[in-house]
Structure formats: C-alpha cells, structure tokens
C-alpha cells in the first residue's frame, strides 16, 4: 500500500490544482505558495528524491524539465524568469519524500538560500 501524498495527487486520487499533465509528469499549484507563481512538478512514478534516481530512470529529468518549460510558458514567466528548486533530504528541508521541483516566479527574487 503506497501512502505517498504526491503519488496520490499524481494518480488523481487527491485533488490538486493541475496546470500541466502528460503520461509521466504532473504539475500543480503549491498549497502554500511562496511566490505569485509556485508550481510543483512531479514524476508520476514514485522516486523519493534526486539522490534516489538510478540509471534506468534518468530520463525523468528530461521529462521534468520539458514540463517546466511548458509550465513557465503557460504561467507567463518564461521570459520574465523563474526559479527551479528541488530540496533533497533532511538538511535541504525536504518535507514530502517524492521527487518534485518547485517552479517559482512572478516577482523579482533575491538569492539567499541559507
Ligand atoms: P518540500 O518542502 O520541498 O518537500 O516541498 C513540499 C511542498 O509541498 C511544500 O511547498 C508544500 O506547501 C507543498 N504541499 C504539501 N501538500 C500539498 C498538497 N496537498 N497540494 C499542493 N501542495 C502541497
Ligand atoms: Zn510517491
């Protein structure tokens, strides 16, 4: 029994505000947005984090970045700029253990991650 929140969102079992979907990827609005545009981009397959990706699955990075371009265009931040962030593990503050990218934009951001 898979009890992963993002697996359930990816399968449509838990409702989310979906902005992009294809066979392998889903993108939906973050529940507590940190910027005017704050979208989470996930693989539908359960992979815990970047460091858990293994050889047969490296294509997922192409899928996620392709989706990020689509989302950036549809959310009108493709030209103005956006940030793609993935938190990997405890020290990075990862709270949901299913690989995801945050796509943030819609305002000028400063850079101080620590
Ligand atoms: P991270 O801290 O990098 O693991 O990011 C997890 C993100 O998931 C946080 O920004 C949360 O606001 C977001 N989140 C948690 N539950 C949901 C949900 N049901 N729908 C959308 N976003 C969520
Ligand atoms: Zn999962």
């Amino acid at each position: 029994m898979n009890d992963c929140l993002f697996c359930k969102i990816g399968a449509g079992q838990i409702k989310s505000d979906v902005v992009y979907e294809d066979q392998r990827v889903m993108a939906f609005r973050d529940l507590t947005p940190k910027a005017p545009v704050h979208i989470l981009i996930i693989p539908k397959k359960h992979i815990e984090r970047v460091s858990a990706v293994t050889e047969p699955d490296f294509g997922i990075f192409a899928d996620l970045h392709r989706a990020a371009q689509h989302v950036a265009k549809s959310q009108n931040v493709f030209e103005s700029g956006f940030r793609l962030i993935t938190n990997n593990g405890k020290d990075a503050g990862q709270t949901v253990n299913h690989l995801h990218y945050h796509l943030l934009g819609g305002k000028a951001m400063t850079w101080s991650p620590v």
Side-chain angles (χ1 to χ4, degrees), residues 5-6 28-32 40 87 93-96 100 102:
L5 173 63
F6 284 0
F28 51 95
R29 292 189 195 283
D30 196 291
L31 214 51
T32 54
L40 299 175
N87 295 321
Q94 183 176 6
T95 59
V96 178
H100 55 280
H102 299 255

Side-chain angles (χ1 to χ4, degrees), residues 22-114:
D22 63 34
Q23 215 185 335
R24 292 184 292 273
V25 173
M26 186 180 269
F28 51 95
R29 292 189 195 283
D30 196 291
L31 214 51
T32 54
K34 305 292 190 293
V37 175
H38 187 172
I39 309 293
L40 299 175
I41 306 170
I42 66 164
K44 291 183 176 178
K45 176 174 180 171
H46 182 80
I47 300 173
E48 294 213 332
R49 54 187 58 80
V50 168
S51 59
V53 176
T54 54
E55 196 55 54
D57 285 328
F58 275 114
I60 200 65
F61 291 122
D63 296 330
L64 292 168
H65 281 77
R66 187 185 298 112
Q69 287 197 359
H70 281 293
V71 170
K73 283 175 184 163
S74 72
Q75 300 301 310
N76 292 312
V77 297
F78 192 78
E79 300 297 338
S80 55
F82 58 91
R83 191 169 278 168
L84 268 182
I85 295 171
T86 185
N87 295 321
N88 186 98
K90 186 164 61 68
D91 278 359
Q94 183 176 6
T95 59
V96 178
N97 289 325
H98 179 124
L99 176 61
H100 55 280
Y101 281 87
H102 299 255
L103 188 152
L104 296 150
K107 67 170 187 181
M109 291 172 275
T110 54
W111 179 245
S112 181
V114 290

